[in-house]
Amino acid sequence: MCLHISLNAFEIAHHIILRIQHLKVMIEECFDNKSYTVSQRNLERCISYHIQILEFASRLDNAFFQCMFSHFLLTGTIFACLEKQILDKINILGAVFHILGWIMALFVACIGGQDFLNASEIIPNAIWNSKWYQTDLRLKKYVVFMLMRSQKALRIRAGPFGVLSFPLFLAVLKTSYSIFCMLSS
């Protein structure tokens, strides 16, 4: 079940990343035309698409907030119990496969979150790389607002544990080791 939830979050995050990459192309081509009206129309499409992407990202975060919290809360404890089972030499092969499945579920969720964090840097870079400096002053103001709005990182939160990312993956592994040490003593 946890792997299924992790894969859902991973797939939705990568769908939004594809939309971000499409927006990047739209932004870079936005000011290629010298006409004010064409540039304004292109910028309006970019802004509305950007708002839509931000709404999708917010929905993703809200939809998986509680699920990821439960997943990460249980994962560290389950890791520790499985490590203890391996140490006590009770059904070692089953415990190894079980722990590998949990590690895979944890890693899939964290890699999806990390990719999502990394993708949030694409839009400001695309804005900066576009020909915004050649456009009319009225359009530059909208570009500044879009740039300001894109400074906030896109993320998938795992409850109070933090944001899905590689550091959270390591934190869960460290927590499981601490629980394991407590169970072993």
Side-chain angles (χ1 to χ4, degrees), residues 2 73-83 98-99 102 176 179:
C2 287
L73 183 65
L74 292 173
T75 301
T77 307
I78 291 171
F79 276 3
C81 293
L82 290 170
E83 292 164 357
H98 198 175
I99 201 167
W102 278 96
S176 74
I179 296 170

Side-chain angles (χ1 to χ4, degrees), residues 3 78-79 81-83 85-86 90-106:
L3 180 60
I78 291 171
F79 276 3
C81 293
L82 290 170
E83 292 164 357
Q85 181 180 341
I86 292 169
I90 303 169
N91 191 9
I92 296 173
L93 187 61
V96 167
F97 282 121
H98 198 175
I99 201 167
L100 287 176
W102 278 96
I103 288 174
M104 189 168 86
L106 178 69

